[in-house]
Amino acid sequence: MQDLKQRGLLDETLVLWGGEFGRTIYSQGRLTQTDYGRDHHPRCFSIWMAGGGIRGGTVYGETDDFSYNIVRDPVHIRDLQATILHLFGLDHQRFTYRYQGLDQRLTGVEPAEVVRGIVA
């Protein structure tokens, strides 16, 4: 990140980090001194983004105190994909091809919106 920023490339380079699932603050089963891991969670996850048109220092969305349910500003994966494409300068709705009567897109067949709250 420092190298990109120092070279003036962070403004046009999107850096994205994320996991495949969320993590809860608790674990089911027996907890021991060496086995205290957190459970996987399919409803909530975190993604870290920087540069490339992202509004720096922004925290978007919130889970409950147990990291189990979304309580503010949910983002569907198709909205995240639409946002990434937007940051690349692409309109996700124009990436469409007709197949078996449906307008197929990289964001899926259901509506997707750019998450404006994280775009600079």
mmCIF file of all heavy atoms in Angstrom, residues 17-47:
data_model
loop_
_atom_site.group_PDB
_atom_site.id
_atom_site.type_symbol
_atom_site.label_atom_id
_atom_site.label_comp_id
_atom_site.label_asym_id
_atom_site.label_seq_id
_atom_site.Cartn_x
_atom_site.Cartn_y
_atom_site.Cartn_z
ATOM 1 N N TRP A 17 -9.356 -6.963 -0.249
ATOM 2 C CA TRP A 17 -9.050 -8.132 0.562
ATOM 3 C C TRP A 17 -10.342 -8.615 1.186
ATOM 4 O O TRP A 17 -11.131 -7.828 1.696
ATOM 5 C CB TRP A 17 -8.044 -7.786 1.663
ATOM 6 C CG TRP A 17 -7.793 -8.928 2.585
ATOM 7 C CD1 TRP A 17 -6.851 -9.895 2.463
ATOM 8 C CD2 TRP A 17 -8.526 -9.246 3.772
ATOM 9 N NE1 TRP A 17 -6.947 -10.793 3.489
ATOM 10 C CE2 TRP A 17 -7.973 -10.417 4.311
ATOM 11 C CE3 TRP A 17 -9.608 -8.658 4.421
ATOM 12 C CZ2 TRP A 17 -8.456 -11.002 5.478
ATOM 13 C CZ3 TRP A 17 -10.093 -9.251 5.568
ATOM 14 C CH2 TRP A 17 -9.512 -10.410 6.090
ATOM 15 N N GLY A 18 -10.565 -9.900 1.150
ATOM 16 C CA GLY A 18 -11.764 -10.448 1.769
ATOM 17 C C GLY A 18 -11.628 -11.932 2.011
ATOM 18 O O GLY A 18 -10.743 -12.593 1.462
ATOM 19 N N GLY A 19 -12.494 -12.445 2.829
ATOM 20 C CA GLY A 19 -12.536 -13.875 3.099
ATOM 21 C C GLY A 19 -13.736 -14.497 2.431
ATOM 22 O O GLY A 19 -14.557 -13.814 1.822
ATOM 23 N N GLU A 20 -13.856 -15.789 2.575
ATOM 24 C CA GLU A 20 -14.965 -16.488 1.945
ATOM 25 C C GLU A 20 -16.196 -16.565 2.841
ATOM 26 O O GLU A 20 -17.249 -16.980 2.418
ATOM 27 C CB GLU A 20 -14.536 -17.897 1.535
ATOM 28 C CG GLU A 20 -14.086 -18.742 2.717
ATOM 29 C CD GLU A 20 -13.554 -20.077 2.288
ATOM 30 O OE1 GLU A 20 -14.336 -20.860 1.736
ATOM 31 O OE2 GLU A 20 -12.372 -20.334 2.501
ATOM 32 N N PHE A 21 -16.066 -16.177 4.096
ATOM 33 C CA PHE A 21 -17.188 -16.206 5.029
ATOM 34 C C PHE A 21 -16.900 -15.275 6.190
ATOM 35 O O PHE A 21 -15.777 -14.818 6.366
ATOM 36 C CB PHE A 21 -17.440 -17.628 5.558
ATOM 37 C CG PHE A 21 -16.186 -18.308 6.034
ATOM 38 C CD1 PHE A 21 -15.623 -17.990 7.251
ATOM 39 C CD2 PHE A 21 -15.566 -19.240 5.240
ATOM 40 C CE1 PHE A 21 -14.463 -18.600 7.679
ATOM 41 C CE2 PHE A 21 -14.399 -19.866 5.659
ATOM 42 C CZ PHE A 21 -13.846 -19.536 6.881
ATOM 43 N N GLY A 22 -17.917 -15.023 7.001
ATOM 44 C CA GLY A 22 -17.732 -14.202 8.187
ATOM 45 C C GLY A 22 -17.307 -15.055 9.364
ATOM 46 O O GLY A 22 -17.249 -16.271 9.281
ATOM 47 N N ARG A 23 -17.008 -14.395 10.456
ATOM 48 C CA ARG A 23 -16.615 -15.088 11.681
ATOM 49 C C ARG A 23 -17.441 -14.538 12.824
ATOM 50 O O ARG A 23 -17.647 -13.342 12.938
ATOM 51 C CB ARG A 23 -15.132 -14.848 11.990
ATOM 52 C CG ARG A 23 -14.171 -15.311 10.920
ATOM 53 C CD ARG A 23 -14.287 -16.787 10.590
ATOM 54 N NE ARG A 23 -13.898 -17.664 11.646
ATOM 55 C CZ ARG A 23 -12.746 -18.314 11.718
ATOM 56 N NH1 ARG A 23 -11.846 -18.148 10.784
ATOM 57 N NH2 ARG A 23 -12.488 -19.114 12.722
ATOM 58 N N THR A 24 -17.927 -15.430 13.683
ATOM 59 C CA THR A 24 -18.654 -15.007 14.870
ATOM 60 C C THR A 24 -17.659 -14.736 15.992
ATOM 61 O O THR A 24 -16.492 -15.115 15.911
ATOM 62 C CB THR A 24 -19.652 -16.089 15.338
ATOM 63 O OG1 THR A 24 -18.922 -17.277 15.650
ATOM 64 C CG2 THR A 24 -20.676 -16.390 14.270
ATOM 65 N N ILE A 25 -18.126 -14.104 17.065
ATOM 66 C CA ILE A 25 -17.258 -13.824 18.205
ATOM 67 C C ILE A 25 -17.254 -14.990 19.189
ATOM 68 O O ILE A 25 -16.598 -14.932 20.206
ATOM 69 C CB ILE A 25 -17.693 -12.537 18.916
ATOM 70 C CG1 ILE A 25 -19.123 -12.661 19.415
ATOM 71 C CG2 ILE A 25 -17.538 -11.341 18.003
ATOM 72 C CD1 ILE A 25 -19.556 -11.539 20.335
ATOM 73 N N TYR A 26 -17.991 -16.063 18.880
ATOM 74 C CA TYR A 26 -18.082 -17.207 19.775
ATOM 75 C C TYR A 26 -17.825 -18.481 18.983
ATOM 76 O O TYR A 26 -17.734 -18.490 17.776
ATOM 77 C CB TYR A 26 -19.466 -17.272 20.414
ATOM 78 C CG TYR A 26 -20.574 -17.285 19.388
ATOM 79 C CD1 TYR A 26 -20.982 -18.476 18.798
ATOM 80 C CD2 TYR A 26 -21.178 -16.108 18.980
ATOM 81 C CE1 TYR A 26 -21.968 -18.486 17.823
ATOM 82 C CE2 TYR A 26 -22.164 -16.114 18.018
ATOM 83 C CZ TYR A 26 -22.549 -17.307 17.450
ATOM 84 O OH TYR A 26 -23.515 -17.311 16.491
ATOM 85 N N SER A 27 -17.713 -19.569 19.715
ATOM 86 C CA SER A 27 -17.518 -20.868 19.082
ATOM 87 C C SER A 27 -18.421 -21.874 19.775
ATOM 88 O O SER A 27 -18.589 -21.832 20.997
ATOM 89 C CB SER A 27 -16.063 -21.303 19.212
ATOM 90 O OG SER A 27 -15.870 -22.549 18.606
ATOM 91 N N GLN A 28 -18.985 -22.779 19.007
ATOM 92 C CA GLN A 28 -19.807 -23.830 19.586
ATOM 93 C C GLN A 28 -18.906 -24.973 20.045
ATOM 94 O O GLN A 28 -17.793 -25.129 19.574
ATOM 95 C CB GLN A 28 -20.813 -24.347 18.566
ATOM 96 C CG GLN A 28 -21.803 -23.290 18.147
ATOM 97 C CD GLN A 28 -22.747 -23.794 17.071
ATOM 98 O OE1 GLN A 28 -22.572 -24.860 16.509
ATOM 99 N NE2 GLN A 28 -23.749 -23.000 16.780
ATOM 100 N N GLY A 29 -19.426 -25.767 20.952
ATOM 101 C CA GLY A 29 -18.641 -26.906 21.430
ATOM 102 C C GLY A 29 -17.765 -26.531 22.601
ATOM 103 O O GLY A 29 -17.859 -25.453 23.175
ATOM 104 N N ARG A 30 -16.895 -27.452 22.942
ATOM 105 C CA ARG A 30 -16.023 -27.281 24.105
ATOM 106 C C ARG A 30 -14.848 -26.352 23.774
ATOM 107 O O ARG A 30 -14.141 -26.555 22.794
ATOM 108 C CB ARG A 30 -15.509 -28.643 24.524
ATOM 109 C CG ARG A 30 -14.691 -28.617 25.753
ATOM 110 C CD ARG A 30 -14.218 -30.024 26.048
ATOM 111 N NE ARG A 30 -13.122 -29.965 26.964
ATOM 112 C CZ ARG A 30 -13.137 -30.543 28.150
ATOM 113 N NH1 ARG A 30 -14.177 -31.255 28.516
ATOM 114 N NH2 ARG A 30 -12.100 -30.447 28.944
ATOM 115 N N LEU A 31 -14.655 -25.352 24.600
ATOM 116 C CA LEU A 31 -13.544 -24.422 24.431
ATOM 117 C C LEU A 31 -12.419 -24.816 25.383
ATOM 118 O O LEU A 31 -12.662 -25.121 26.541
ATOM 119 C CB LEU A 31 -13.978 -22.989 24.723
ATOM 120 C CG LEU A 31 -15.107 -22.435 23.860
ATOM 121 C CD1 LEU A 31 -15.459 -21.017 24.308
ATOM 122 C CD2 LEU A 31 -14.722 -22.445 22.412
ATOM 123 N N THR A 32 -11.203 -24.810 24.871
ATOM 124 C CA THR A 32 -10.036 -25.105 25.701
ATOM 125 C C THR A 32 -9.001 -24.008 25.490
ATOM 126 O O THR A 32 -9.173 -23.134 24.648
ATOM 127 C CB THR A 32 -9.416 -26.470 25.323
ATOM 128 O OG1 THR A 32 -8.879 -26.369 24.002
ATOM 129 C CG2 THR A 32 -10.455 -27.587 25.383
ATOM 130 N N GLN A 33 -7.888 -24.100 26.224
ATOM 131 C CA GLN A 33 -6.820 -23.100 26.094
ATOM 132 C C GLN A 33 -6.223 -23.095 24.687
ATOM 133 O O GLN A 33 -5.756 -22.079 24.209
ATOM 134 C CB GLN A 33 -5.716 -23.386 27.116
ATOM 135 C CG GLN A 33 -6.169 -23.154 28.535
ATOM 136 C CD GLN A 33 -5.562 -21.894 29.121
ATOM 137 O OE1 GLN A 33 -4.620 -21.341 28.570
ATOM 138 N NE2 GLN A 33 -6.114 -21.441 30.220
ATOM 139 N N THR A 34 -6.244 -24.243 24.015
ATOM 140 C CA THR A 34 -5.638 -24.327 22.679
ATOM 141 C C THR A 34 -6.663 -24.424 21.562
ATOM 142 O O THR A 34 -6.299 -24.364 20.394
ATOM 143 C CB THR A 34 -4.701 -25.550 22.592
ATOM 144 O OG1 THR A 34 -5.451 -26.735 22.854
ATOM 145 C CG2 THR A 34 -3.546 -25.424 23.580
ATOM 146 N N ASP A 35 -7.938 -24.566 21.887
ATOM 147 C CA ASP A 35 -8.985 -24.683 20.865
ATOM 148 C C ASP A 35 -10.107 -23.702 21.192
ATOM 149 O O ASP A 35 -11.073 -24.036 21.867
ATOM 150 C CB ASP A 35 -9.539 -26.111 20.807
ATOM 151 C CG ASP A 35 -10.515 -26.295 19.661
ATOM 152 O OD1 ASP A 35 -10.528 -25.456 18.733
ATOM 153 O OD2 ASP A 35 -11.272 -27.284 19.699
ATOM 154 N N TYR A 36 -9.937 -22.479 20.746
ATOM 155 C CA TYR A 36 -10.896 -21.429 21.076
ATOM 156 C C TYR A 36 -11.341 -20.667 19.833
ATOM 157 O O TYR A 36 -11.780 -19.542 19.913
ATOM 158 C CB TYR A 36 -10.294 -20.449 22.086
ATOM 159 C CG TYR A 36 -8.917 -19.970 21.686
ATOM 160 C CD1 TYR A 36 -8.773 -18.901 20.837
ATOM 161 C CD2 TYR A 36 -7.777 -20.624 22.143
ATOM 162 C CE1 TYR A 36 -7.519 -18.470 20.442
ATOM 163 C CE2 TYR A 36 -6.523 -20.198 21.754
ATOM 164 C CZ TYR A 36 -6.393 -19.126 20.903
ATOM 165 O OH TYR A 36 -5.155 -18.710 20.509
ATOM 166 N N GLY A 37 -11.206 -21.308 18.667
ATOM 167 C CA GLY A 37 -11.513 -20.654 17.400
ATOM 168 C C GLY A 37 -12.940 -20.153 17.303
ATOM 169 O O GLY A 37 -13.811 -20.569 18.058
ATOM 170 N N ARG A 38 -13.149 -19.281 16.362
ATOM 171 C CA ARG A 38 -14.475 -18.711 16.155
ATOM 172 C C ARG A 38 -15.180 -19.471 15.045
ATOM 173 O O ARG A 38 -14.544 -19.980 14.126
ATOM 174 C CB ARG A 38 -14.348 -17.232 15.812
ATOM 175 C CG ARG A 38 -13.678 -16.456 16.924
ATOM 176 C CD ARG A 38 -13.532 -15.010 16.596
ATOM 177 N NE ARG A 38 -12.739 -14.852 15.398
ATOM 178 C CZ ARG A 38 -12.763 -13.766 14.646
ATOM 179 N NH1 ARG A 38 -13.519 -12.753 14.963
ATOM 180 N NH2 ARG A 38 -12.029 -13.673 13.561
ATOM 181 N N ASP A 39 -16.500 -19.505 15.122
ATOM 182 C CA ASP A 39 -17.287 -20.219 14.122
ATOM 183 C C ASP A 39 -17.370 -19.452 12.809
ATOM 184 O O ASP A 39 -17.289 -18.229 12.777
ATOM 185 C CB ASP A 39 -18.709 -20.453 14.636
ATOM 186 C CG ASP A 39 -18.777 -21.582 15.641
ATOM 187 O OD1 ASP A 39 -17.804 -22.353 15.733
ATOM 188 O OD2 ASP A 39 -19.808 -21.701 16.322
ATOM 189 N N HIS A 40 -17.564 -20.204 11.755
ATOM 190 C CA HIS A 40 -17.810 -19.613 10.433
ATOM 191 C C HIS A 40 -19.233 -19.088 10.408
ATOM 192 O O HIS A 40 -20.107 -19.594 11.103
ATOM 193 C CB HIS A 40 -17.657 -20.662 9.339
ATOM 194 C CG HIS A 40 -16.293 -21.248 9.302
ATOM 195 N ND1 HIS A 40 -16.046 -22.456 8.743
ATOM 196 C CD2 HIS A 40 -15.105 -20.806 9.766
ATOM 197 C CE1 HIS A 40 -14.765 -22.736 8.837
ATOM 198 N NE2 HIS A 40 -14.178 -21.748 9.463
ATOM 199 N N HIS A 41 -19.452 -18.087 9.588
ATOM 200 C CA HIS A 41 -20.784 -17.507 9.536
ATOM 201 C C HIS A 41 -21.134 -17.103 8.117
ATOM 202 O O HIS A 41 -20.426 -16.310 7.508
ATOM 203 C CB HIS A 41 -20.866 -16.290 10.452
ATOM 204 C CG HIS A 41 -22.253 -15.825 10.636
ATOM 205 N ND1 HIS A 41 -22.872 -14.993 9.737
ATOM 206 C CD2 HIS A 41 -23.169 -16.135 11.558
ATOM 207 C CE1 HIS A 41 -24.106 -14.798 10.130
ATOM 208 N NE2 HIS A 41 -24.304 -15.478 11.222
ATOM 209 N N PRO A 42 -22.241 -17.622 7.575
ATOM 210 C CA PRO A 42 -22.586 -17.338 6.181
ATOM 211 C C PRO A 42 -23.314 -16.009 5.941
ATOM 212 O O PRO A 42 -23.406 -15.562 4.812
ATOM 213 C CB PRO A 42 -23.494 -18.499 5.810
ATOM 214 C CG PRO A 42 -24.164 -18.852 7.104
ATOM 215 C CD PRO A 42 -23.126 -18.621 8.162
ATOM 216 N N ARG A 43 -23.842 -15.358 6.973
ATOM 217 C CA ARG A 43 -24.644 -14.151 6.760
ATOM 218 C C ARG A 43 -23.836 -12.866 6.696
ATOM 219 O O ARG A 43 -24.250 -11.905 6.073
ATOM 220 C CB ARG A 43 -25.673 -13.994 7.882
ATOM 221 C CG ARG A 43 -26.798 -14.966 7.835
ATOM 222 C CD ARG A 43 -27.849 -14.573 8.856
ATOM 223 N NE ARG A 43 -28.798 -15.655 8.996
ATOM 224 C CZ ARG A 43 -29.352 -16.016 10.125
ATOM 225 N NH1 ARG A 43 -29.048 -15.367 11.231
ATOM 226 N NH2 ARG A 43 -30.202 -17.007 10.164
ATOM 227 N N CYS A 44 -22.734 -12.821 7.403
ATOM 228 C CA CYS A 44 -21.975 -11.580 7.527
ATOM 229 C C CYS A 44 -20.514 -11.844 7.193
ATOM 230 O O CYS A 44 -19.970 -12.864 7.574
ATOM 231 C CB CYS A 44 -22.059 -11.047 8.955
ATOM 232 S SG CYS A 44 -23.741 -10.856 9.568
ATOM 233 N N PHE A 45 -19.897 -10.916 6.495
ATOM 234 C CA PHE A 45 -18.477 -11.031 6.192
ATOM 235 C C PHE A 45 -17.885 -9.642 6.059
ATOM 236 O O PHE A 45 -18.595 -8.661 5.914
ATOM 237 C CB PHE A 45 -18.229 -11.852 4.921
ATOM 238 C CG PHE A 45 -18.886 -11.302 3.685
ATOM 239 C CD1 PHE A 45 -18.203 -10.443 2.847
ATOM 240 C CD2 PHE A 45 -20.187 -11.648 3.375
ATOM 241 C CE1 PHE A 45 -18.805 -9.941 1.711
ATOM 242 C CE2 PHE A 45 -20.799 -11.148 2.237
ATOM 243 C CZ PHE A 45 -20.103 -10.292 1.402
ATOM 244 N N SER A 46 -16.580 -9.575 6.115
ATOM 245 C CA SER A 46 -15.883 -8.297 6.011
ATOM 246 C C SER A 46 -15.008 -8.288 4.771
ATOM 247 O O SER A 46 -14.404 -9.296 4.430
ATOM 248 C CB SER A 46 -14.992 -8.057 7.233
ATOM 249 O OG SER A 46 -15.770 -7.986 8.396
ATOM 250 N N ILE A 47 -14.950 -7.137 4.143
ATOM 251 C CA ILE A 47 -14.070 -6.919 3.005
ATOM 252 C C ILE A 47 -13.378 -5.585 3.235
ATOM 253 O O ILE A 47 -14.007 -4.618 3.686
ATOM 254 C CB ILE A 47 -14.865 -6.909 1.686
ATOM 255 C CG1 ILE A 47 -15.360 -8.305 1.382
ATOM 256 C CG2 ILE A 47 -14.018 -6.367 0.545
ATOM 257 C CD1 ILE A 47 -16.095 -8.434 0.079
#
